Amino acid sequence: MLKKILLSGICAVALSLQAYAEEIRVLGAASLKYVLEEIKTDFLKAHPNDKIEISYLSSGKAYAQIKNGAPVHLFVAADVSYPAKLYADKLAPQKEEIYAKGKLVLWSNNADFKITEFKDILNPKITHISIPNPKLAPYGRASIEALEATKMLKNVQDKFVTGESIGAATTYVESKNAEVGFTALSMLGESGINTPTMSFVAIDENLYKPIEQALIIPNYGKDSKLAQEFKAYILSQPAKEKFIKFGYSVE
């Protein structure tokens, strides 16, 4: 009889824990692939029964999915404009909040094309330059701005290989399908891509508009306790330290 009572008690506790467990869907900018996974892992240590599914894609595509009614609890973008559009369109109950500022780099994964300065992109032997889609990816827009500011765009634009996200653009260089390319420093950070043949240079931040990155809870996630808590954690000091580790700047 005692065993039955204990067993029923254990089952009741298990059911209670399941009842309080929550699962949320997050859309994150492709440039966050490494840092956001580390942040999620740390956060879930205090939420062992909860689940967070993060899909990484360009911020423009993420915005389009949310606008078209995708069930998204939290959007962590690579700029401010897309979250701001959601709020302006009344697709989010509260305004966006900035969590970090990104840094643009030119990089290579080919020992024959070592990158030491931005002007190395003019090397006539380079035939493929990877760039995130400027219409969808904030780092792609920043790349165009930097090239225009240095008057190098006309010399290199015919060599562009466009990735739909920064992840795709980075893969082109990583796989050596492009000799050089633009990416976020966060993609090459401490736990990001790291190869013996890799070289990169940070682009002067005066050459492009600041890549301030913001997050927002769409209407679908407004009643989610887990979404609110995960958002708060991304804005917290422990998460800021992670962003700094991966090459972002934070205030």
Side-chain angles (χ1 to χ4, degrees):
M1 185 67 176
L2 181 58
K3 286 184 178 180
K4 288 184 178 180
I5 293 173
L6 288 172
L7 184 59
S8 62
I10 291 170
C11 290
V13 171
L15 289 171
S16 176
L17 289 173
Q18 288 178 3
Y20 284 101
E22 191 178 352
E23 182 172 355
I24 60 171
R25 184 181 180 219
V26 177
L27 291 186
S31 56
L32 296 167
K33 177 181 177 182
Y34 299 108
V35 63
L36 199 53
E37 285 298 317
E38 279 204 14
I39 290 172
K40 181 183 83 169
T41 298
D42 287 350
F43 173 79
L44 288 177
K45 288 176 183 176
H47 299 77
N49 298 303
D50 296 318
K51 291 184 180 180
I52 299 175
E53 176 194 337
I54 305 179
S55 299
Y56 296 98
L57 65 169
S58 70
S59 292
K61 283 193 171 183
Y63 163 76
Q65 285 190 17
I66 296 170
K67 189 173 182 180
N68 290 328
V72 178
H73 299 85
L74 177 64
F75 175 30
V76 191
D79 74 346
V80 176
S81 68
Y82 288 117
K85 285 180 183 179
L86 289 179
Y87 181 71
D89 294 340
K90 301 188 185 311
L91 296 174
Q94 295 180 316
K95 290 193 70 173
E96 72 283 354
E97 293 184 64
I98 294 171
Y99 62 88
K101 186 168 76 171
K103 297 179 183 179
L104 178 70
V105 301
L106 177 71
W107 81 297
S108 172
N109 192 35
N110 190 320
D112 294 329
F113 296 92
K114 189 173 178 62
I115 298 297
T116 59
E117 60 179 338
F118 192 10
K119 287 184 179 180
D120 288 340
I121 199 171
L122 297 175
N123 183 340
K125 293 182 180 179
I126 292 174
T127 57
H128 299 89
I129 299 170
S130 175
I131 184 172
N133 188 339
K135 295 179 180 180
L136 298 171
Y139 284 87
R141 291 201 303 267
S143 302
I144 296 296
E145 290 168 3
L147 288 168
E148 287 178 334
T150 53
K151 304 187 186 314
M152 294 192 292
L153 182 60
K154 289 183 179 179
N155 295 316
V156 300
Q157 59 187 357
D158 291 340
K159 300 178 181 181
F160 284 169
V161 179
T162 304
E164 286 305 294
S165 70
I166 197 168
T170 303
T171 298
Y172 290 149
V173 178
E174 185 180 13
S175 61
K176 295 184 174 63
N177 286 312
E179 294 93 351
V180 301
F182 292 97
T183 191
L185 180 57
S186 60
M187 299 293 286
L188 310 178
E190 186 173 325
S191 301
I193 297 169
N194 188 7
T195 70
T197 54
M198 185 179 80
S199 60
F200 70 89
V201 63
I203 306 301
D204 184 346
E205 293 183 50
N206 293 315
L207 297 177
Y208 57 90
K209 294 175 185 175
I211 308 176
E212 292 183 321
Q213 304 192 185
L215 76 174
I216 196 167
I217 292 180
N219 288 337
Y220 185 84
K222 65 181 181 180
D223 296 323
S224 168
K225 183 172 181 286
L226 185 61
Q228 294 284 354
E229 290 178 346
F230 190 42
K231 173 190 168 184
Y233 188 77
I234 293 172
L235 295 169
S236 72
Q237 187 58 39
K240 285 181 178 180
E241 292 172 4
K242 292 286 186 185
F243 284 118
I244 292 170
K245 167 185 168 183
F246 278 84
Y248 291 89
S249 58
V250 297
E251 293 182 359

